[in-house]
């Protein structure tokens, strides 16, 4: 025997071993992509089907495939295969073909894994390896056995170098028939045909299997050359390029389509490239191998979509990888093999290749379908639902693993039926896990016992807390009642003091007006008026403090001009300072905002109080300075700062501690000398905090005091700053609204065309308000209560001479002002109703408006306030005055 013949034989034997080694790859791949409860079943199946198919192929499979042909349809010799030893090449050829037959059988079983019973596997393997594969192989490959006439398909020019169709597609079509008969796994598809991915238990093992298959495929394709020829290196190159491009194609596809990389798709793309390359790797160029691999991966992915569309459950992707990609590889022969190597034109060759693929499908699929349908009447093909859920490892083989036993023991332990871990090897990994689990369980039991004890203690504590909560609830109810009583007391106090103060201050103004300049009388009347105003100021301060402490004082946030607000304060306080012969100056440091978001009324209240105190406590000849600056604080938001400095008597450290307490001044001598209630600073401090800032004080006794006020300014849009605030401040003018209005309407009032209905039960206030209105030349009609007021307003309306304005006291006998106002509105009388009341608590204004009043004014009232009311709501349209009195 020549050396080259020996090398060829050696090469075929080595490649046979590589193809057998592919069985290890299939075992790892199928086991890894299956769930762990079926992994042993897959491994047993791999071992048995190779063994059974190998024996059957030796007995009659080889003879059917490569025996002397009968019309190109079937072989009739070599039953069983025997060789005396004279033809070593024939033995090597037989061994290689046996490995290919075992490969086809193994491919078929992977698709129906996890639910096909072991007996059905064996039947499918026997039919496929003993009949289907040898017969179709005779049609396509008979001439591979030197000196044999070709089968009928090969004689037409069908070409399949190493079995894209003969081995791979044939195994896939057998798999398709099996999964169509036995159906999908439990839980794979729902009623809406949505597919659920049932992931394998070990993707690392599956990847290892693909690497083994990749390496074995070089023997699969290289051995099909049946000799160590010059084509072998090119076969290896084409095999690698097609498979690598298939893997890369799926990588890129997933990146752009799913944005998530899944290893299973990459593995199947690689295998699809290997399958497709098998038909033509001996003759195509490397570039063609690349294209074949890329398209094979795309065809494989399309095959997966088709199967899921028809709810066909292929466990590891056998049909898309070996069936669809195998067909593509077989058809690619006509497209990429050089024309000189073809026995027909490319179109004719393509049709022959297509015929071969169709014949393979019809022969294999129909034979398997009929066979499985027939034997299903005698043998159960599919595992039961309970067996499938339990896993074929246990259901079919009684095989288990330590991990599986551990999980079962854990389940029993949870139900309290078993002591965990006694049957496991404590020195194994799983035994160590069981041991640690047992320790955790013991700790858990201790924790549960402790938790139960604590739960009981918590229940006792909860009962105690419920008792305390009930007591706190009652205390809260009592506190709310006390708060309501306090508010009612303040409201009544305010009303009872404001009502007589209306008469006191009103008549005092009349006496001053009619004193004809007698100095002694005017001085005495000024004392009365000053003390009356002091009493009103005290009432207002008490009400403000009460509202703040009860949380009922509302802060308005609007955007307004800062300089205009400061100009009004300066015009008011400068007069006070000049009367006491003090130097008063308002200045600015740096840029300040044009507009701020805050409450202009409360800001003015704080500044007037602080500046008024500075003026009051500074001796003649002293100074009072007000400095405004803008603080652009990033942590607390932008702030505005005011520093009020004086050269007054100062405050000691002891006095400083009591500074912001209500009704507290420095000492009793201060109260006697300077007057005051001690509420101004307490209110100012709280208002500053409500405006988002603070009020602080620094003082040196005998030298002076500095009060620093800060307020938040919100986020005015847009935030503009005065570059030269002092220059802009001097340009601002104070608008004298009240004076202007009085002058504008003086003739109207003197004309006597305004008629007023005064509803007031107090005789003193009746006389005072009537006198003030008459001094403004208004006609006044009196009503002692709300009921009389309604009747007189209705009479005037019916006579066609309605009143211009109704002044309504809200607290009257028979029918109060609220009821009278509602009744007037129900009767359709639209005359402006002004609530003239001593109630000045929070919510009183809204209460009056809801009752039907047009506006709201508090007592005491004076001539100027009445004039402003008449000017605001009187429209001079009457031709004749009403009678002065209807009584």
């Amino acid at each position: 025997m020549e050396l080259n013949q020996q090398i060829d034989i050696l090469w075929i034997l080595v490649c046979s071993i590589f193809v057998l080694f592919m069985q290890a790859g299939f075992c790892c791949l199928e086991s890894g992509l299956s769930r762990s409860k079926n992994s042993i079943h897959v491994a047993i199946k791999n071992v048995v089907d190779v063994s059974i198919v190998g024996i059957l192929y030796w007995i009659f499979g080889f003879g059917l495939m490569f025996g002397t042909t009968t019309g190109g349809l079937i072989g009739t010799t070599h039953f069983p295969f025997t060789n005396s030893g004279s033809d070593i090449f024939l033995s090597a050829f037989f061994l290689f073909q046996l490995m290919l037959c075992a490969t086809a059988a193994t491919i078929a079983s992977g698709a129906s894994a996890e639910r096909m019973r072991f007996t059905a596997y064996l039947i499918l393997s026997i039919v496929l390896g003993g009949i289907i594969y040898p017969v179709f192989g005779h049609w396509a490959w008979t001439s591979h056995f030197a000196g044999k006439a070709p089968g009928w398909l090969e004689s037409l020019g069908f070409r399949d170098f190493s079995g894209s169709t003969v081995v791979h597609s044939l195994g896939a079509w057998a798999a398709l028939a099996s999964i169509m008969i036995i159906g999908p796994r439990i839980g794979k598809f729902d009623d809406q045909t949505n597919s659920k991915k049932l992931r394998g238990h070990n993707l690392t093992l599956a990847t290892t299997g693909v690497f083994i298959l990749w390496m074995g495929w070089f023997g699969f394709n290289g051995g099909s050359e049946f000799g160590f020829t010059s084509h072998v290196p090119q076969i290896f190159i084409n095999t690698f390029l097609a498979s690598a491009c298939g893997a890369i194609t799926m990588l890129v596809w997933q990146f752009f389509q799913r944005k998530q990389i899944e290893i299973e798709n990459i593995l199947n793309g690689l295998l699809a490239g290997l399958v497709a390359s098998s038909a033509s790797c001996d003759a195509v160029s490397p570039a063609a191998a690349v294209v074949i691999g890329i398209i094979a991966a795309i065809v494989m992915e399309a095959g997966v979509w088709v199967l899921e569309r028809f709810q066909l459950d292929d466990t590891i992707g056998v049909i898309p990888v070996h069936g669809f990609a195998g067909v593509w590889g077989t058809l690619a022969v006509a497209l990429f093999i050089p024309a000189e190597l073809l026995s027909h034109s490319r179109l004719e060759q393509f049709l022959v290749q297509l015929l071969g693929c169709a014949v393979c499908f019809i022969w294999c699929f129909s034979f398997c379908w009929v066979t499985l349908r027939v034997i299903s009447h005698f043998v159960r093909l599919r595992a039961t639902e309970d067996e499938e859920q339990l896993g074929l490892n246990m259901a079919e083989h009684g095989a288990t693993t330590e991990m599986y036993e551990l999980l079962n023991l854990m389940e029993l332990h949870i139900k309290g039926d078993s002591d965990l871990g006694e049957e496991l090897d404590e020195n194994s990994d799983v035994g160590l896990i069981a041991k640690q689990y047992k320790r955790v369980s013991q700790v858990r039991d201790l924790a549960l016992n402790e938790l139960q004890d604590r739960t009981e203690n918590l229940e006792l504590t909860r009962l105690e807390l419920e008792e305390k909560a009930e007591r706190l609830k009652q205390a809260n109810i009592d506190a709310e009642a006390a708060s309501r009583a306090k508010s009612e007391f303040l409201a009544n106090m305010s009303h009872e003091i404001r009502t007589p103060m209306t008469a006191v201050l009103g008549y005092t103004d009349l006496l001053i007006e009619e004193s004809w300049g007698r100095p002694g009388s005017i001085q005495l009347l000024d004392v009365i008026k000053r003390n009356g105003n002091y009493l009103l100021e005290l009432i207002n301060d008490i009400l403000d403090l009460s509202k703040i402490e009860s949380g009922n004082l509302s802060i308005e946030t609007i955007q307004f001009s800062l300089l205009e607000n400061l100009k009004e304060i300066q015009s008011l306080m400068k007069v006070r300072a000049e009367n006491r012969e003090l130097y008063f100056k308002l200045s600015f440091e740096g840029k300040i905002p044009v507009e701020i978001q805050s409450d202009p009324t409360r800001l003015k209240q704080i500044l007037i109080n602080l500046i008024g105190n500075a003026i009051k406590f500074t001796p003649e000849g002293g100074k009072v300075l007000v400095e405004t600056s803008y603080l652009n604080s990033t942590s607390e938001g932008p702030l505005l700062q005011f520093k009020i400095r004086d050269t007054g008597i100062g405050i000691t450290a002891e006095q400083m501690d009591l500074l912001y307490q209500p009704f507290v001044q420095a000492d009793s001598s201060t109260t006697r000398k300077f007057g005051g209630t001690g509420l101004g600073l307490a209110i100012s401090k709280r208002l500053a905090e409500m405006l988002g800032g603070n009020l602080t004080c620094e003082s040196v006794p005998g030298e002076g005091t500095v009060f620093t006020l800060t307020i938040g300014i919100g986020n005015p849009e847009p935030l503009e700053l005065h570059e030269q605030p002092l220059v802009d401040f001097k340009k601002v003018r104070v608008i004298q609204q009240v004076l202007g209005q009085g002058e504008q309407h003086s003739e109207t009032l003197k004309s006597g065309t305004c008629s007023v209905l005064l509803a007031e039960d107090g005789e003193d206030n009746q006389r005072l308000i009537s006198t003030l209105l008459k001094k403004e030349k208004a006609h006044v009609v009196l009503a002692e209560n709300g009921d009389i007021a309604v009747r007189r307003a209705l009479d005037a309306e019916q006579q066609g001479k309605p009143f211009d304005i109704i002044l309504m006291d809200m607290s009257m006998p028979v029918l109060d002002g609220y009821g009278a106002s509602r009744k007037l509105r129900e009767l359709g009388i639209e005359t402006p109703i002004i609530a003239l009341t001593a109630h000045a608590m929070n919510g009183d204004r809204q209460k009056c408006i809801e009752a039907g009043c047009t506006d709201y004014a508090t007592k005491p009232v004076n001539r100027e306030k009445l004039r402003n009311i008449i000017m605001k709501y009187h429209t001079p349209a009457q031709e004749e005055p009403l009678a002065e009195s209807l009584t």
Side-chain angles (χ1 to χ4, degrees):
M1 183 182 296
E2 296 180 1
L3 179 61
N4 62 334
Q5 292 177 325
Q6 294 176 353
I7 293 175
D8 289 343
I9 293 171
L10 179 61
W11 172 246
I12 295 173
L13 293 175
V14 170
C15 289
S16 298
I17 295 173
F18 270 85
V19 177
L20 178 61
F21 190 46
M22 290 175 67
Q23 294 295 331
F26 281 119
C27 183
C28 292
L29 176 63
E30 293 181 26
S31 178
L33 293 181
S34 300
R35 288 168 288 184
S36 59
K37 62 183 179 180
N38 302 300
S39 58
I40 297 175
H41 179 74
V42 170
I44 295 174
K45 179 268 302 177
N46 269 232
V47 173
V48 173
D49 67 11
V50 172
S51 303
I52 291 178
V53 169
I55 296 299
L56 292 176
Y57 192 78
W58 169 69
I59 296 173
F60 55 84
F62 183 79
L64 290 175
M65 189 169 181
F66 291 104
T68 303
T69 185
T70 300
L73 296 177
I74 194 170
T76 57
T77 58
H78 297 292
F79 299 111
F81 171 77
T82 56
N83 186 12
S84 61
S86 58
D87 191 348
I88 302 176
F89 182 86
L90 177 60
S91 297
F93 180 81
F94 164 78
L95 181 63
F96 185 78
Q97 292 298 334
L98 187 151
M99 295 299 108
L100 296 186
C101 180
T103 300
T106 301
I107 290 172
S109 63
S112 53
E114 297 198 323
R115 75 270 197 198
M116 193 172 191
R117 296 183 67 238
F118 186 70
T119 305
Y121 273 134
L122 296 182
I123 295 172
L124 182 63
S125 298
I126 291 170
V127 172
L128 185 63
I131 301 174
I132 298 175
Y133 174 78
V135 172
F136 186 78
H138 185 82
W139 297 346
W141 275 359
T142 307
S143 65
H144 288 188
F145 194 180
K148 296 292 183 180
W152 72 270
L153 192 57
E154 188 179 11
S155 64
L156 295 177
F158 180 74
R159 182 182 180 119
D160 186 4
F161 174 66
S162 62
S164 290
T165 291
V166 177
V167 177
H168 298 286
S169 289
L170 186 138
W173 303 143
L176 178 61
S178 67
I179 68 171
M180 290 180 69
I181 291 175
I182 66 174
R185 289 168 289 177
I186 297 173
K188 176 62 177 177
F189 300 102
D190 58 22
D191 295 336
Q192 288 74 34
T193 72
N194 295 320
S195 173
K196 178 181 178 182
K197 193 173 185 64
L198 303 177
R199 296 187 177 276
H201 79 287
N202 195 332
L203 295 180
T204 303
L205 180 63
T207 304
T208 303
V210 170
F211 273 109
I212 295 173
L213 288 172
W214 202 355
M215 181 172 61
W217 223 286
F218 288 102
F220 190 93
N221 285 351
S224 296
E225 183 69 6
F226 301 117
F228 193 74
T229 67
S230 59
H231 292 163
V232 170
Q234 189 61 45
I235 291 172
F236 281 11
I237 292 172
N238 290 340
T239 300
F240 174 80
L241 290 176
S243 58
C245 289
I248 293 172
T249 300
M250 291 312 303
L251 175 66
V252 174
W253 176 271
Q254 289 187 92
F255 182 79
F256 285 102
Q257 291 297 318
R258 304 178 184 175
K259 307 300 181 184
Q260 185 176 5
I261 308 302
E262 294 184 356
I263 185 63
E264 300 100 312
N265 293 71
I266 297 176
L267 297 180
N268 282 339
L270 187 151
L271 292 176
L274 289 171
V275 170
S277 70
S278 298
S280 57
C281 59
D282 63 319
V284 297
S285 65
V290 168
V291 176
I292 290 172
I294 292 173
I295 297 178
I298 297 173
V299 169
M300 182 275 299
E301 185 67 15
V304 172
W305 180 85
V306 170
L307 292 182
E308 291 189 352
R309 177 69 177 79
F310 291 96
Q311 291 194 340
L312 296 174
D313 182 14
D314 185 345
T315 303
I316 66 172
V318 168
I319 299 166
V321 171
H322 298 272
F324 288 75
V327 170
W328 156 244
T330 305
L331 297 177
V333 169
L335 303 177
F336 294 102
I337 286 183
E340 60 270 16
L341 300 180
L342 298 176
S343 56
H344 307 287
S345 67
R346 290 197 182 275
L347 178 58
E348 291 174 340
Q349 185 66 46
F350 183 84
L351 295 175
V352 171
Q353 297 297 112
L354 182 61
L355 176 63
C357 294
V359 169
C360 178
F361 175 80
I362 295 171
W363 163 247
C364 181
F365 180 82
S366 60
F367 199 107
C368 289
W369 176 274
V370 172
T371 302
L372 291 175
R373 279 298 183 190
V374 171
I375 67 172
S376 65
H377 295 289
F378 307 97
V379 178
R380 182 160 50 89
L381 302 181
R382 178 173 179 142
T384 64
E385 182 176 346
D386 292 338
E387 290 174 339
E388 186 175 342
Q389 291 179 347
L390 176 64
L392 299 184
N393 292 351
M394 284 291 295
E396 289 273 276
H397 312 289
T400 185
T401 62
E402 281 192 319
M403 181 60 72
Y404 185 81
E405 291 178 359
L406 174 61
L407 294 176
N408 282 334
L409 290 172
M410 286 181 176
E411 184 67 24
L412 294 173
H413 182 262
I414 292 173
K415 297 177 180 179
D417 296 336
S418 176
D419 187 14
L420 180 67
E422 294 181 353
E423 300 177 4
L424 297 176
D425 181 5
E426 63 178 12
N427 296 319
S428 65
D429 293 340
V430 175
L432 292 174
I433 294 174
K435 183 177 180 181
Q436 295 303 319
Y437 177 80
K438 188 173 182 179
R439 290 181 58 189
V440 171
S441 298
Q442 292 172 347
V443 172
R444 182 206 63 179
D445 293 339
L446 293 175
L448 286 175
N449 292 333
E450 183 177 354
L451 179 61
Q452 185 176 359
D453 294 339
R454 293 190 177 186
T455 302
E456 294 174 356
N457 293 333
L458 284 174
E459 181 65 20
L460 295 175
T461 305
R462 184 185 66 81
L463 295 175
E464 294 176 0
L465 288 175
E466 286 181 354
E467 271 183 43
K468 292 181 179 179
E470 190 63 31
R471 291 197 296 269
L472 286 173
K473 183 178 179 180
Q474 186 59 43
N476 186 50
I477 293 173
D478 295 341
E480 289 178 355
S483 177
R484 286 194 300 271
K486 173 186 174 183
S487 298
E488 291 172 1
F489 167 75
L490 290 174
N492 293 331
M493 182 196 73
S494 171
H495 180 271
E496 295 304 319
I497 295 178
R498 284 176 182 274
T499 299
M501 287 305 300
T502 300
V504 172
L505 293 178
Y507 284 116
T508 300
D509 286 334
L510 289 176
L511 290 173
I512 292 175
E513 186 177 329
E514 298 175 359
S515 61
W516 299 297
R518 289 175 290 184
S521 299
I522 292 176
Q523 185 177 4
L524 294 174
L525 293 171
D526 281 339
V527 172
I528 296 173
K529 185 174 182 179
R530 183 173 65 254
N531 283 277
N533 287 328
Y534 169 75
L535 183 58
L536 284 177
E537 182 181 345
L538 173 61
I539 295 171
N540 290 333
D541 286 346
I542 291 174
L543 292 178
D544 276 346
L545 185 62
S546 173
K547 293 174 186 177
I548 292 173
E549 290 180 346
S550 63
N552 292 326
L553 183 69
S554 58
I555 293 295
E556 184 181 31
T557 302
I558 61 173
Q559 192 160 318
F560 63 93
S561 171
L562 176 61
L563 291 186
E564 290 181 3
N565 192 276
L566 294 177
K567 193 71 174 184
E568 294 177 9
I569 295 172
Q570 185 204 39
S571 64
L572 178 64
M573 305 310 295
K574 188 175 182 180
V575 176
R576 295 189 188 181
E578 290 175 351
N579 290 337
R580 290 183 54 83
E581 298 182 1
L582 299 176
Y583 175 76
F584 176 75
K585 181 180 180 182
L586 195 149
S587 62
F588 304 91
E589 181 180 354
K591 303 176 183 179
I592 65 168
V594 175
E595 292 186 336
I596 65 173
Q597 289 181 347
S598 187
D599 189 327
T601 303
R602 296 304 176 183
L603 174 60
K604 186 185 298 184
Q605 179 181 349
I606 299 172
L607 290 176
I608 288 177
N609 181 67
L610 295 176
I611 298 171
N613 282 347
I615 292 173
K616 182 167 63 174
F617 292 107
T618 301
E620 293 182 359
K623 298 180 181 180
V624 175
L625 308 175
V626 180
E627 180 184 86
T628 305
S629 58
Y630 171 58
L631 306 177
N632 189 10
S633 172
T634 57
S635 60
E636 301 177 356
L639 299 174
L640 203 62
Q641 177 178 277
F642 303 90
K643 286 186 178 289
I644 297 90
R645 306 175 188 270
D646 65 60
T647 58
I649 60 176
I651 305 172
T652 65
E654 293 78 10
Q655 296 167 345
M656 192 78 72
D657 295 335
L658 307 175
L659 197 59
Y660 302 113
Q661 295 185 18
F663 300 103
V664 176
Q665 286 193 337
D667 55 37
S668 58
S669 62
T670 302
T671 305
R672 290 193 300 271
K673 182 176 181 181
F674 296 99
T677 64
L679 291 174
L681 287 178
I683 295 172
S684 297
K685 173 77 170 178
R686 290 161 173 77
L687 287 176
E689 293 171 352
M690 294 175 71
L691 293 177
N694 198 6
L695 178 63
T696 60
C697 177
E698 298 177 3
S699 183
V700 178
E703 296 183 9
T705 303
V706 179
F707 278 94
T708 302
L709 168 68
T710 58
I711 65 167
I713 66 168
N715 295 295
E717 295 292 343
L719 179 60
E720 299 179 1
L721 299 175
H722 287 288
E723 299 291 334
Q724 295 179 318
L726 188 58
V727 175
D728 296 337
F729 180 71
K730 293 179 180 179
K731 298 177 183 178
V732 178
R733 295 184 178 182
V734 178
I735 301 174
Q736 301 294 340
Q737 295 178 343
V738 175
L739 179 59
Q741 289 176 348
E743 293 174 353
Q744 179 180 353
H745 293 276
S746 60
E747 293 300 324
T748 301
L749 297 178
K750 291 177 181 179
S751 67
T753 60
C754 181
S755 61
V756 179
L757 174 62
L758 174 61
E760 170 67 53
D761 64 320
E763 294 182 2
D764 293 336
N765 286 337
Q766 285 179 354
R767 191 177 301 112
L768 171 65
I769 297 173
S770 297
T771 301
L772 294 176
L773 289 172
K774 290 174 182 178
K775 283 182 176 289
E776 299 298 330
K777 306 301 181 182
H779 293 273
V780 182
V781 176
L782 295 176
E784 292 79 9
N785 56 57
D787 183 62
I788 296 174
V790 171
R791 285 190 278 109
R792 291 186 175 172
L794 185 60
D795 291 342
E797 190 80 20
Q798 292 173 348
Q799 294 176 16
K801 297 179 180 180
F803 292 103
D804 294 314
I805 295 173
I806 300 175
L807 297 180
M808 184 73 71
D809 183 22
M810 305 311 286
S811 297
M812 292 184 293
V814 183
L815 181 65
D816 62 14
Y818 302 104
S821 299
R822 276 191 288 268
K823 195 167 185 179
L824 288 171
R825 295 309 184 207
E826 291 171 358
L827 293 172
I829 295 177
E830 300 179 354
T831 303
I833 302 175
I834 311 303
L836 198 60
T837 177
H839 291 293
M841 293 292 288
N842 186 46
D844 285 331
R845 176 186 179 87
Q846 185 61 30
K847 184 178 178 182
C848 294
I849 299 299
E850 290 175 354
C853 295
T854 308
D855 208 340
Y856 167 89
T858 57
K859 295 178 180 179
V861 295
N862 52 33
R863 185 174 180 178
E864 183 178 355
K865 181 182 289 186
L866 287 174
R867 181 190 298 119
N868 290 338
I869 292 172
I870 301 301
M871 288 189 301
K872 184 174 181 180
Y873 292 101
H874 170 55
T875 301
Q878 313 291 340
E879 294 181 359
E880 297 180 5
L882 288 173
E884 183 172 334
S885 176
L886 298 178
T887 58

